[in-house]
Amino acid sequence: LCIGRGVVVLGLKRLVSLNLIIFPLLLSACGGGGSNSSPSASDAPLSPVPASVSEILTGEFIDSAVSGLQYKTESRSGKTNQNGEFHYLEGEVIQFSIGDILIGSAKGNSIITPLEISNSENSLLTDTAINIVRLLTSLDSDGNPDNGIRIEDEVHLKFAGKTIDFNVTEQLFENDQTLLSGLNELNTTLTTAEFAKQHIETTLETLGVEFTNIDNQAPNAGGIAPVENASPLISGEVLGVVIEDS
């Protein structure tokens, strides 16, 4: 009987030991304890994923393709690439600048030219638009805007902390001391109004953009006759105004 009791006791001990081993394994296999039932908090998205993401659109700034031009929208900022391309979201307004000089802004579109950022009415090719073109063509790295306009990083540094008023007459613009000082530091000269007009009119013709010339107020579907032998750079006296390098 004692032996029998020993056997029974021993059997109970073994049974208890096996239960202690097997029961947790059964819980784990059945999903007990919750360790694998759902992702931990650290695996969840940090913020809700929007139901729809606005499509990123691409536009081009053209006065010839202008590369290296700073742009900024409500959602992004950067510089135009070699094709003059920039990115924006539907409905955004794009600001364009050189250094800290804001040259203009316009609602996002596939093509933006100096005509749009000059905020002219009735597609009027105003002094403001011409002044913008004069600056851009003056800052082209190779001096030949017909093959594209490239704004180098050095240009942005020279015009940091500066402002220029484009909404003035051609004569006042070409006497702006901030403008002339910056151009002088870059060892370049301001292009003439005649050259800028010819350049932008050719650009708008190529794009098929209708505009009105401020000189005669006549609508143009393809511009006016180009100015013959227009000199790209101011030299000496222009329209009775003497330009002096500072």
Side-chain angles (χ1 to χ4, degrees):
L1 181 60
C2 292
I3 296 173
R5 287 178 180 177
V7 171
V8 171
V9 171
L10 181 60
L12 289 173
K13 288 182 178 180
R14 288 180 177 178
L15 181 60
V16 170
S17 299
L18 288 173
N19 283 338
L20 292 174
I21 296 171
I22 294 172
F23 187 67
L25 293 176
L26 290 174
L27 286 175
S28 176
C30 295
S35 61
N36 294 319
S37 60
S38 64
S40 65
S42 62
D43 293 328
L46 297 177
S47 60
V49 177
S52 62
V53 178
S54 297
E55 181 183 1
I56 298 176
L57 303 174
T58 300
E60 297 175 67
F61 189 93
I62 303 294
D63 176 24
S64 292
V66 182
S67 65
L69 184 64
Q70 294 174 162
Y71 72 90
K72 183 179 181 180
T73 75
E74 297 172 1
S75 65
R76 64 202 65 246
S77 63
K79 292 180 181 178
T80 54
N81 65 16
Q82 62 182 2
N83 297 318
E85 294 178 336
F86 54 87
H87 301 294
Y88 65 100
L89 301 182
E90 183 69 33
E92 287 188 323
V93 172
I94 302 102
Q95 293 182 337
F96 296 95
S97 61
I98 296 174
D100 289 324
I101 298 172
L102 177 64
I103 65 172
S105 61
K107 188 174 180 179
N109 201 0
S110 58
I111 297 291
I112 292 179
T113 73
L115 187 64
E116 285 78 31
I117 65 172
S118 65
N119 297 318
S120 66
E121 297 181 358
N122 302 319
S123 299
L124 188 64
L125 198 55
T126 61
D127 283 353
T128 301
I130 298 301
N131 292 339
I132 293 170
V133 175
R134 295 180 75 179
L135 178 63
L136 292 173
T137 53
S138 299
L139 297 176
D140 180 28
S141 61
D142 70 356
N144 180 16
D146 291 337
N147 64 5
I149 296 173
R150 176 169 178 77
I151 310 298
E152 299 286 358
D153 292 340
E154 179 188 8
V155 174
H156 294 288
L157 294 175
K158 293 295 183 183
F159 286 105
K162 299 180 180 180
T163 59
I164 293 176
D165 186 4
F166 293 91
N167 192 28
V168 295
T169 65
E170 296 170 1
Q171 291 86 351
L172 288 176
F173 181 72
E174 61 196 29
N175 280 287
D176 185 298
Q177 292 305 305
T178 299
L179 170 63
L180 296 178
S181 175
L183 294 177
N184 186 59
E185 291 179 17
L186 292 165
N187 296 316
T188 189
T189 313
L190 183 64
T191 55
T192 65
E194 289 79 8
F195 177 82
K197 286 177 184 177
Q198 178 179 331
H199 179 75
I200 188 60
E201 286 168 0
T202 299
T203 297
L204 295 176
E205 279 183 15
T206 302
L207 295 173
V209 175
E210 293 189 6
F211 63 94
T212 302
N213 189 279
I214 195 171
D215 293 331
N216 54 25
Q217 302 288 295
N220 270 273
I224 61 174
V227 179
E228 295 295 332
N229 301 318
S231 173
L233 301 178
I234 289 178
S235 177
E237 186 174 325
V238 177
L239 298 176
V241 178
V242 177
I243 304 303
E244 297 180 356
D245 291 335
S246 57

